[in-house]
Amino acid sequence: MATARHYDTILSPVITEKATLLTEQNKVVFQVAMDSTKDEIAAAVEELFKVRVIKVNTLITKGKTKRFRGILGRRSDVKKAIVTLQEGQTIDISTGL
């Protein structure tokens, strides 16, 4: 049952140019659930990927208001977690879970 909660906490990896540069510093970026805490994120990453987490930093990106063909819409708010791994450990996010 605990594993299902971990899959609800970690939604997807963030694959951007900036996130790719962070892999050189043993950091991985994930999109996480809005109500998840740093302890829950660390536990989920350790359990799912079998690595040792040193630190978790989180940030919330507010959704923008955008226009599409003249109709106003709003993007969702997104919570991201930057997870620092122990030296020598990596996560290959291209293989998936």
Side-chain angles (χ1 to χ4, degrees):
M1 187 67 183
T3 307
R5 189 176 69 242
H6 294 319
Y7 284 112
D8 291 337
T9 302
I10 307 276
L11 301 179
S12 66
V14 176
I15 303 172
T16 60
E17 190 172 349
K18 188 173 184 178
T20 306
L21 288 175
L22 286 175
T23 58
E24 297 172 4
Q25 302 171 16
N26 275 0
K27 297 181 180 182
V28 185
V29 183
F30 293 103
Q31 181 178 343
V32 295
M34 289 296 283
D35 60 347
S36 60
T37 64
K38 291 183 180 187
D39 291 334
E40 290 173 352
I41 295 167
V45 171
E46 286 182 351
E47 180 71 27
L48 294 175
F49 296 103
K50 307 292 187 245
V51 292
R52 180 81 179 104
V53 173
I54 295 175
K55 184 168 66 168
V56 176
N57 293 20
T58 58
L59 60 112
I60 295 176
T61 305
K62 298 294 183 186
K64 294 180 175 180
T65 302
K66 297 292 243 176
R67 269 186 199 278
F68 180 70
R69 294 186 180 174
I71 299 170
L72 275 178
R74 180 162 165 72
R75 291 185 185 169
S76 302
D77 295 348
V78 176
K79 185 171 186 177
K80 298 180 197 172
I82 302 171
V83 179
T84 305
L85 303 176
Q86 194 173 37
E87 196 68 35
Q89 294 190 332
T90 59
I91 295 175
D92 186 12
I93 56 175
S94 62
T95 59
L97 281 175

